[in-house]
Structures are given as C-alpha cells and as structure tokens.
Amino acid sequence: MNILIIGGAGYIGSHVAREFLDQGHRVTVFDNLSSGLRGNLFPEARFIHGDILDYAGLLRAASGKPDSIVGSAGGKAGAPFDALVHLAASKAAGESMVRPEKYSVNNISGTMNILNAAAETGIRNIVFSSSAAVYGEPQYLPIDEKHPTNPENYYGFTKLEIERFLGWYDKLKGIHFAALRYFNAAGYDVKGRLAGLEQNPANLIPIIMEAAIGIRKEVQVFGDDYDTPDGTCIRDYVHVSDLSTGHAAALDYISRTGKSLSLNLGSETGSSVLEVLETARKVSGKPIPAKTVGRRPGDPAKLTASSGLAHELLGWTAKHSDMETLIKTSWDVYNKQ
Ligand SMILES: NC(=O)c1ccc[n+]([C@@H]2O[C@H](COP(=O)([O-])OP(=O)(O)OC[C@H]3O[C@@H](n4cnc5c(N)ncnc54)[C@H](O)[C@@H]3O)[C@@H](O)[C@H]2O)c1
C-alpha cells in the first residue's frame, strides 16, 4: 500500500513508519518537526515538511502533489494514497488543562483538516492514535472497549471527539477508521534501529531513564499509600514495537473488511512504579535515586487494559511489552546519549 504517515517523525510515528517499511509498504512521512526529529526519518521513505494546520499544503500532500518532497522512496509523486496514519497531536494531559486552546487547534482543527483532505483526495482508510485517556476514572479493570468513556482531561476529550468525527466521516464519506487507544507507550525499536529520544516525555520510564543518565536528579514517586501491593500506582505499559504491529494489523483489517473500529492496545499486565524502578536499576546497574512525594490529584491506583478485542479481530498480542524488554530497549538508547 501507499501510506501517508502524519506525525511519522515522532516517537511512536517513527516506529510505525519502520514497521510499514519492513512490511514492504511505500511510506511518506508528513510532519512539522515540532516534536519530531529529522533523525527519525528513513532514507527509503519520502518526507514532507508540513503542518496539518496549513490546509492547502496538507491537501497537496494528501493528493500526492506536495511542493517539496525529500527522499526517494518507491512511491511516485502523484500516486494516490491508500491510507493515512494520523499521529500528529499535542499530547500532554496536564498542559491540556491549562492551555486547552492549543489542544483545540492542533488536535481538533488539525484533525478536521486531515479528515477533509482525506475526503477530498479519496483516501479511504485512516488509522488514528487515540488514547486510554478517553476512559477517565476506571469503573472496573481491566478496561475494555465497553467501559464508559468519560475523559478527565481536555487532551482525552479531544481524542474522544475525534473518534466521534471519524464515525461521522465513515457514515457520510465512506472513510474506514481504526482508532487505537494506546495505554502507556514505552520502549524503543527491539532491533535497535531508532535512537531519537521522545521529546518532553511525561511518562515514568523516560523520566527514570533521565535520572539513570544523570540529567534528572531523582525520580518523584507520587504517593506510596495506594491500595496496591507495594502502595504505588500500577499502569499498563505497551512497547512501541507492539504498537507498530498493531497499526499494521489494524490497517489490514479495515482495508480488507471495510469495517471501522475503536480498540485498546495495551499489554494487559500492570507494573507498579516501584517495580519499574527496580527493573531499571537492575538493567542499568545505576542506583537511580527516587523520592516519595504526595499523590497527584486524579491518579487512579490501578489502570490496566483488556486487549481482547485486538486479539480477537486482529490476532494481535503484545510480544515485547514485558518490563525487562521495555527497560532494556529504553536503556540501550538513553545510555548512548
Ligand atoms: N506516548 C504515549 O504514551 C501516547 C499514549 C496514547 C496516545 N498517544 C498519541 O500518539 C500520538 C504520537 O505520540 P508520540 O508519543 O509519538 O508523540 P510525538 O510528539 O513524539 O509525536 C507527534 C508527532 O506529530 C508531529 N506534529 C505535531 N503537531 C503537528 C502539526 N500541527 N503538523 C504536523 N505535524 C505535527 C510532531 O512533530 C511529532 O513528530 C499522539 O497523537 C499522541 O496523542 C501517545
């Protein structure tokens, strides 16, 4: 297939691009490099430096006739795209509560441009990076796709609204979609081919890695009095290499069946903050100082995914999402910095 990957220079997008290239697809990355990196681009993929907020430029890119293309991938300029993967977004949940305007514009308006460009250029398959943030406070565990959606932050709200827009464009324009609700993405390419650090990470594993290489003094543990075996919060971490195979399987499913879906991609196992810290200390051989501070408001004690639907429909399971592999592949990248 000929695939346009929007946000493909970012942390997850570059892994997704790698997977599609490995599977023999033609890939064009479209990215404004606001948090993506040139070092995350592959010579065999085309690259368009553009912004989803520039509708005219996006439309030209989606039609296969951009102003400037870098790279020489198999796809001929002017060839129509069979699918697009949309990963471009602002993603800091905390920031979204103080700067909702930024999230309205980049996530909502940006996505409307993408949907309109897809409708106008005849792209009929979209894989969208949604998030576990659409669920909000867990009512039961593990969280499956039937769980009520009640986002607790504006970022999660934008993801849920986009899923609704996708539903309407499916009905009205015949655009099939897969909205993939990732849990905590972590790790780096299991074959070690990507080394561009995630920019401004807010997740536990990169924060621990920063403390391990000494660019952060210590790791703050937000509360150790939760109702969990060691008192610290439990989260579901999914490896980016697993997310990448999930995207390929989802695109195959929607393009083959013509059916749209929203589904979870998670490891189905939870790890506590202390378990993640201990594994990181063992793998890195570094002491990694940590200090317990107060709870953060709105942090549930435990969050784990059911990925049963992804298994049933796509035959997908997480193969690299054990904590050892998540930490080892991260450490290999951070240790070289
Ligand atoms: N990292 C996670 O744990 C996680 C969890 C759930 C969902 N997600 C979603 O996955 C997607 C990718 O996340 P990531 O962690 O790789 O983040 P990232 O910041 O590394 O990637 C986002 C990419 O989109 C590009 N981009 C942003 N705004 C753009 C614009 N206006 N025009 C063109 N390009 C633009 C950035 O330059 C970057 O390359 C996001 O949509 C995010 O909300 C991430």
Side-chain angles (χ1 to χ4, degrees):
M1 279 196 217
N2 192 19
I3 304 170
L4 180 63
I5 304 190
I6 302 178
Y11 167 55
I12 300 171
S14 55
H15 287 83
V16 170
R18 187 63 267 165
E19 178 65 27
F20 279 118
L21 288 167
D22 288 352
Q23 293 198 10
H25 297 286
R26 296 189 305 252
V27 167
T28 300
V29 167
F30 180 97
D31 201 297
N32 69 357
L33 300 179
S34 55
S35 55
L37 303 170
R38 279 191 188 275
N40 281 344
L41 300 170
F42 302 102
E44 63 270 44
R46 296 194 299 161
F47 173 58
I48 301 166
H49 189 187
D51 197 305
I52 55 174
L53 299 176
D54 164 21
Y55 185 66
L58 178 64
L59 191 60
R60 280 194 299 279
S63 65
K65 297 182 190 98
D67 304 328
S68 61
I69 298 177
V70 181
S72 59
K76 288 191 293 266
F81 289 105
D82 303 300
L84 72 79
V85 184
H86 170 25
L87 303 110
S90 303
K91 63 166 185 176
E95 182 193 51
S96 76
M97 298 298 277
V98 287
R99 293 184 65 196
E101 306 88 339
K102 176 178 170 186
Y103 288 73
S104 301
V105 172
N106 210 30
N107 295 9
I108 303 274
S109 304
T111 300
M112 295 322 302
N113 283 344
I114 290 175
L115 284 177
N116 289 339
E120 209 167 315
T121 57
I123 299 175
R124 289 290 169 264
N125 298 289
I126 297 185
V127 180
F128 168 63
S129 300
S130 188
S131 166
V134 300
Y135 293 116
E137 176 77 24
Q139 316 279 303
Y140 59 84
L141 292 171
I143 294 181
D144 59 19
E145 293 79 359
K146 295 196 184 89
H147 187 284
T149 47
N150 193 13
E152 288 207 318
N153 51 62
Y154 191 71
Y155 163 73
F157 168 78
T158 65
K159 293 289 182 184
L160 187 57
E161 287 305 293
I162 291 166
E163 289 196 16
R164 295 198 172 119
F165 287 124
L166 284 164
W168 277 106
Y169 273 66
D170 182 0
K171 267 191 244 171
L172 304 176
K173 290 284 173 182
I175 297 176
H176 317 306
F177 71 88
L180 304 179
R181 297 172 175 171
Y182 319 153
F183 281 64
N184 296 278
Y188 281 82
D189 180 39
V190 284
K191 294 189 180 148
R193 295 165 295 179
L194 277 154
L197 288 187
E198 181 182 4
Q199 303 296 293
N200 312 311
N203 292 337
L204 180 64
I205 292 179
I207 286 173
I208 289 178
M209 292 293 118
E210 288 181 359
I213 61 170
I215 60 172
R216 185 183 284 268
K217 202 172 103 223
E218 62 192 10
V219 176
Q220 291 190 321
V221 178
F222 295 106
D224 61 1
D225 55 354
Y226 284 94
D227 185 15
T228 58
D230 65 24
T232 63
C233 288
I234 291 177
R235 294 289 177 271
D236 185 309
Y237 297 91
V238 58
H239 197 287
V240 277
S241 293
D242 286 331
L243 287 181
S244 302
T245 57
H247 285 69
L251 177 55
D252 176 61
Y253 178 87
I254 61 170
S255 59
R256 208 166 22 81
T257 64
K259 290 183 189 155
S260 293
L261 40 81
S262 289
L263 49 77
N264 292 344
L265 292 181
S267 67
E268 304 197 300
T269 51
S271 301
S272 75
V273 177
L274 292 187
E275 284 167 350
V276 180
L277 260 169
E278 270 323 303
T279 309
R281 286 177 180 136
K282 194 176 83 190
V283 168
S284 67
K286 305 281 180 189
I288 314 182
K291 184 170 124 196
T292 302
V293 294
R295 290 183 179 201
R296 281 187 305 198
D299 258 352
K302 194 170 175 193
L303 257 183
T304 50
S306 160
S307 295
L309 195 59
H311 184 59
E312 184 191 320
L313 298 181
L314 311 182
W316 178 88
T317 41
K319 295 200 169 85
H320 306 288
S321 298
D322 57 286
M323 194 43 66
E324 218 37 57
T325 306
L326 287 162
I327 297 285
K328 172 139 195 349
T329 55
S330 303
W331 177 241
D332 287 347
V333 169
Y334 274 84
N335 195 25
K336 286 190 198 123
Q337 296 301 309

